[in-house]
Amino acid sequence: MSEKHPPVLRESATFDRLTIQEIQRAAETGIYDIRGGGTKRKVPHFDDLLLLGASMSRYPLEGYREKCGTDVVLGNRFAKKPIHLKIPVTIAGMSFGALSAQAKEALGRGASIAGTSTTTGDGGMTPEERGQSQHLVYQYLPSRYGMNPDDLRKADAIEIVLGQGAKPGGGGMLLGMKVTERVAGMRTLPVGVDQRSACRHPDWTGPDDLAIKIAELREITDWEKPIYVKIGASRPYYDVKLAVKAGADVIVLDGMQGGTAATQEVFIEHVGIPILSAIPQAVQALQEMDMHRKVQLIVSGGIRTGADVAKAMAMGADAVAIGTAALIALGDNHPRLDEELKKIGSAAGFYDDWQNGRDPAGITTQDPELSKRLDPVEGGRRLANYLRVLVLEAQTMARACGKSHLLNLDPEDLVALTVESAAMARVPLAGTRWVPGQGY
Amino acid sequence: MKTIDLSVATTRDLNQALHAPAEALAAREWLVTHPGGKHNLAVGVNEALSITIDGHAGYYCAGMNQKADITVLGNVGVGVAENMMSGSVRVRGSASQAAGATAHGGLLVIEGDAGARCGISMKGVDIVVGGNIGHMSCFMGQAGRLVVCGDAGDALGDSLYETRIYVRGTVKSLGSDCIEKEMRPEHLAELAELLDQAGFDADPASFRRYGSARQLYNFKVDNASAY
Ligand SMILES: Cc1cc2nc3c(=O)[nH]c(=O)nc-3n(C[C@H](O)[C@H](O)[C@H](O)COP(=O)(O)O)c2cc1C
């Protein structure tokens, strides 16, 4: 080719470099790719919504003077001891095993400073987390690893996990390198096995059984503790209705962008629906049952900013949960780790091999040397700072919309930037009164 | 002996009474009458009480039991003694699905038959069944021992970890990674002890032992068809 006309290499949209690399990887190894994190491709999200600040037809509240409440009560439907959080941003369930004990402690510390809850995960309750977390939600998963009545009684709420946004319909996974003696002991497993946990609960199937299961957990804990039901978003309208009918106090709805510690890449990218499209279905289900705000709705899957918090709440959520963002606040993917991450084939800002236990930040690892790098006090402080920023940002936006409490935000405060997001979020396309799918 | 009559009292009354602080629990022996197949009877007990349920019970009877000895003079529904930690549960009749699911400790004796998924995900409990057990029993069994005096259904011990299984009758089929293993003297001895504890008069030598081939513990491409 002459110098005047350098070659233009055309990349195939169908067989792009990533796809080619994945085919080559599959051909070499014979196994699907497993990774951590959430969906990487772009899907309609809160960025596609805008809040309508007040002007003449609505009055804004004065930025630093007029109050904008942020507290939320979770679980006052049946539980004798509902949880009262100062802020509507909770820490999602992430297991000890997936995370180091230091990371669990740091989450507990940060959440307690900020006045919110943390959640255990697939692997039981650690003293590190219970010791530091003022409000601790204890997950009840199909595997029942580490499940015992003493910890159940120590918990402040119980979360029955039906699924996760990253893998609705899929079970858990913890690869051998993270199944250390302590992790294996808590889960009653041989050290070093590739742990695969079940996707269905062992002793109930379907909503009628779930109602009896919820009643059992209430009986065991003398009706004190709120019972959450966590759903991976796929058919949220029906799932929410069934969970509420089965007696849930709180629904946790996790969208497809939701993070995971270890899941097949194909599952993360291709199963489930974006949280944006799931919230309206859940809210509709609750409203039809006259249970909106009576059974609280916590949503998760890609929550990053105060704007995301405000928009999720305007869509009808009572609170949000964060996983990935909390790990980043603790120090995951920090630029100072770039050199080390490059040595293990990644780079700061891209690292998602949370499944293999080599995290130089000391967060998604069980390696004692790596774990030691995370100072739980410092990590807790960083998380608390981040949570404060999320809340300050959400309050700023809520005040601008004239709301004296984050819970007063509503869908009328929202418009959509794209036709897709308008249809999914069921709010008008900006500048129009058009909500696709609902006529004019 | 304290008697609670469930034709008058509610399930809540019963469980609340059983959860009273140790010093308030004067009676160590409890009789529950007219259970009427109710669910969630005697769940979450945390004291060394002796509890007799005089009749049939529904789902999750004796769920998460810790320390108590609970006897059911009838049949039980799904998930009897689920996630039991210690103590014992004896069912005089038969049990539905998922008997002893995920239980960590203690002894579960079912004198009759047990349905599907008996001992699913068991984590240390000992389960002794006088009759037969259904399909998918001991799925992902992690620890503890399962003894079956009768026959076992399809896919016994699928994806088994470290539970040891003893069956006297026939096994319709073994699940992935579950194999028959040699019955060594230590196995005969532990089986004799379990049968004795359960009060069953059976000859340990007439049982076969099954356990994990441990081929699925770590992923290998060659085993892909087993997943
Ligand atoms: C490291 C890690 C471990 C997780 N472990 C669990 C778990 O044990 N149980 C569970 O229900 N969800 C688990 N999740 C999912 C989170 O609870 C939550 O649904 C998700 O992280 C929310 O999305 P986000 O990461 O975009 O905030 C995990 C997520 C991460 C990132």
Side-chain angles (χ1 to χ4, degrees):
Chain A
M1 204 76 47
S2 79
E3 276 190 12
K4 270 191 201 154
H5 301 287
V8 177
L9 302 179
R10 184 171 182 189
E11 180 163 13
S12 163
T14 310
F15 287 90
D16 60 6
R17 274 166 286 186
L18 253 177
T19 308
I20 291 173
Q21 192 193 20
E22 175 49 23
I23 294 171
Q24 289 160 343
R25 196 205 55 76
E28 261 154 51
T29 63
I31 182 173
Y32 39 53
D33 190 26
I34 296 171
R35 67 166 173 88
T39 310
K40 288 195 166 181
R41 63 150 127 185
K42 192 168 164 49
V43 295
H45 199 34
F46 295 114
D47 290 338
D48 300 317
L49 301 183
L50 298 170
L51 283 153
L52 297 176
S55 55
M56 186 91 86
S57 54
R58 306 267 168 115
Y59 301 128
L61 296 186
E62 202 57 66
Y64 292 102
R65 290 184 183 75
E66 286 174 311
K67 207 173 140 358
C68 176
T70 62
D71 65 322
V72 59
V73 174
L74 299 170
N76 51 356
R77 182 185 185 195
F78 289 122
K80 277 190 228 158
K81 296 185 178 170
I83 291 189
H84 193 160
L85 301 179
K86 288 195 190 127
I87 61 170
V89 185
T90 65
I91 307 300
M94 293 182 277
S95 71
F96 165 67
L99 300 187
S100 63
Q102 285 83 344
K104 287 302 272 177
E105 181 181 338
L107 292 175
R109 285 180 181 272
S112 295
I113 297 170
T116 190
S117 59
T118 67
T119 312
T120 62
D122 200 2
M125 186 187 285
T126 59
E128 286 90 341
E129 187 173 20
R130 178 61 286 186
Q132 295 305 331
S133 185
Q134 222 169 44
H135 308 280
L136 181 57
V137 183
Y138 187 29
Q139 283 199 330
Y140 190 78
L141 295 117
S143 70
R144 312 275 166 88
Y145 292 136
M147 174 49 55
N148 68 77
D150 295 334
D151 286 343
L152 202 64
R153 285 184 271 263
K154 275 186 223 151
D156 299 298
I158 301 162
E159 181 168 303
I160 302 177
V161 179
L162 266 74
Q164 264 178 253
K167 48 178 166 183
M173 207 181 248
L174 191 72
L175 299 188
M177 37 287 211
K178 292 173 92 170
V179 184
T180 59
E181 211 160 309
R182 181 175 178 201
V183 171
M186 280 179 73
R187 300 180 188 215
T188 328
L189 288 172
V191 174
V193 298
D194 289 335
Q195 171 241 291
R196 297 155 286 137
S197 48
C199 63
R200 289 207 308 266
H201 280 260
D203 57 354
W204 65 270
T205 28
D208 296 334
D209 283 5
L210 176 59
I212 306 171
K213 178 49 78 179
I214 289 177
E216 184 205 6
L217 294 171
R218 290 198 194 281
E219 283 296 323
I220 291 172
T221 54
D222 293 323
W223 289 72
E224 284 183 355
K225 323 225 180 256
I227 297 194
Y228 302 7
V229 173
K230 178 173 179 175
I231 297 164
S234 55
R235 297 180 184 85
Y237 173 75
Y238 297 105
D239 290 340
V240 167
K241 280 208 163 169
L242 293 171
V244 170
K245 185 162 172 293
D249 290 309
V250 175
I251 304 290
V252 180
L253 183 63
D254 192 25
M256 77 174 286
Q257 302 99 317
T260 168
T263 300
Q264 298 89 332
E265 153 100 6
V266 70
F267 214 145
I268 298 176
E269 297 287 353
H270 297 279
V271 184
I273 63 172
I275 191 64
L276 194 75
S277 61
I279 300 173
Q281 296 189 52
V283 171
Q284 183 192 344
L286 290 167
Q287 283 169 340
E288 285 175 8
M289 299 176 91
D290 193 24
M291 282 291 167
H292 190 218
R293 307 279 186 229
K294 295 178 188 161
V295 167
Q296 288 79 28
L297 177 66
I298 302 178
V299 304
S300 59
I303 300 280
R304 306 148 299 175
T305 64
D308 292 345
V309 177
K311 291 170 189 174
M313 293 185 71
M315 289 178 72
D318 296 271
V320 303
I322 57 169
T324 304
L327 303 187
I328 295 170
L330 295 187
D332 173 81
N333 265 300
H334 198 280
R336 85 178 122 72
L337 302 171
D338 197 45
E339 281 295 304
E340 280 182 87
L341 287 168
K342 285 196 170 122
K343 281 187 205 146
I344 53 173
S346 188
F350 299 89
Y351 182 57
D352 61 10
D353 283 326
W354 299 346
Q355 79 288 352
N356 74 11
R358 293 160 74 195
D359 182 1
I363 297 170
T364 59
T365 180
Q366 292 301 318
D367 180 303
E369 288 308 311
L370 292 175
S371 306
K372 263 198 291 193
R373 293 183 180 184
L374 180 70
D375 174 359
V377 177
E378 170 62 12
R381 193 189 60 77
R382 292 173 62 96
L383 176 63
N385 276 344
Y386 170 63
L387 288 168
R388 282 192 197 108
V389 171
L390 285 184
V391 174
L392 281 171
E393 286 178 348
Q395 280 176 304
T396 302
M397 306 187 85
R399 281 200 191 92
C401 295
K403 308 294 164 137
S404 60
H405 199 289
L406 292 181
L407 284 167
N408 295 343
L409 286 160
D410 68 61
E412 288 204 7
D413 296 313
L414 292 170
V415 291
L417 275 170
T418 64
V419 176
E420 286 86 352
S421 57
M424 291 183 190
R426 303 185 190 172
V427 297
L429 187 65
T432 76
R433 278 188 281 164
W434 183 38
V435 181
Q438 298 186 3
Y440 287 88
Chain B
M1 162 99 66
K2 172 145 172 105
T3 301
I4 293 200
D5 180 353
L6 287 180
S7 64
V8 188
T10 63
T11 304
R12 184 81 284 269
D13 298 335
L14 169 68
N15 289 320
Q16 188 77 63
L18 292 170
H19 296 170
E23 54 288 2
L25 279 171
R28 307 311 285 182
E29 305 228 331
W30 292 64
L31 177 67
V32 180
T33 59
H34 302 107
K38 288 197 171 73
H39 303 310
N40 303 326
L41 297 182
V43 295
V45 180
N46 195 21
E47 284 297 323
L49 309 176
S50 169
I51 303 164
T52 302
I53 297 173
D54 188 9
H56 305 305
Y59 279 43
Y60 311 133
C61 179
M64 294 216 185
N65 179 44
Q66 197 153 248
K67 301 180 206 158
D69 295 310
I70 300 174
T71 304
V72 184
L73 306 178
N75 303 321
V76 292
V78 171
V80 62
E82 66 86 14
N83 215 90
M84 172 159 65
M85 304 303 292
S86 62
S88 72
V89 173
R90 176 178 290 275
V91 178
R92 284 274 148 82
S94 291
S96 179
Q97 298 190 56
T102 76
H104 287 71
L107 174 70
L108 168 62
V109 179
I110 294 156
E111 296 190 2
D113 299 324
R117 301 181 183 84
C118 176
I120 183 169
S121 285
M122 57 191 279
K123 294 171 168 50
V125 68
D126 290 323
I127 303 177
V128 186
V129 182
N132 307 324
I133 60 171
H135 64 267
M136 286 300 278
S137 285
C138 213
F139 174 57
M140 286 186 140
Q142 295 173 226
R145 293 153 313 175
L146 170 64
V147 179
V148 185
C149 297
D151 303 332
D154 267 322
L156 178 69
D158 193 285
S159 304
L160 195 62
Y161 289 104
E162 294 291 306
T163 301
R164 286 196 290 281
I165 306 175
Y166 299 97
V167 183
R168 184 163 62 171
T170 58
V171 173
K172 196 156 180 215
S173 67
L174 292 173
S176 278
D177 214 27
C178 182
I179 53 169
E180 185 173 348
K181 292 191 165 180
E182 185 194 356
M183 188 72 111
R184 294 196 299 267
E186 68 264 32
H187 302 122
L188 288 169
E190 81 168 0
L191 178 55
E193 199 182 313
L194 286 166
L195 289 165
D196 188 50
Q197 277 177 30
F200 291 142
D201 186 20
D203 177 10
S206 60
F207 286 75
R208 288 161 182 256
R209 178 168 79 98
Y210 304 89
S212 177
R214 305 190 178 98
Q215 292 301 307
L216 303 184
Y217 276 20
N218 293 99
F219 189 88
K220 293 185 206 88
V221 177
D222 301 336
N223 292 333
S225 60
Y227 286 89

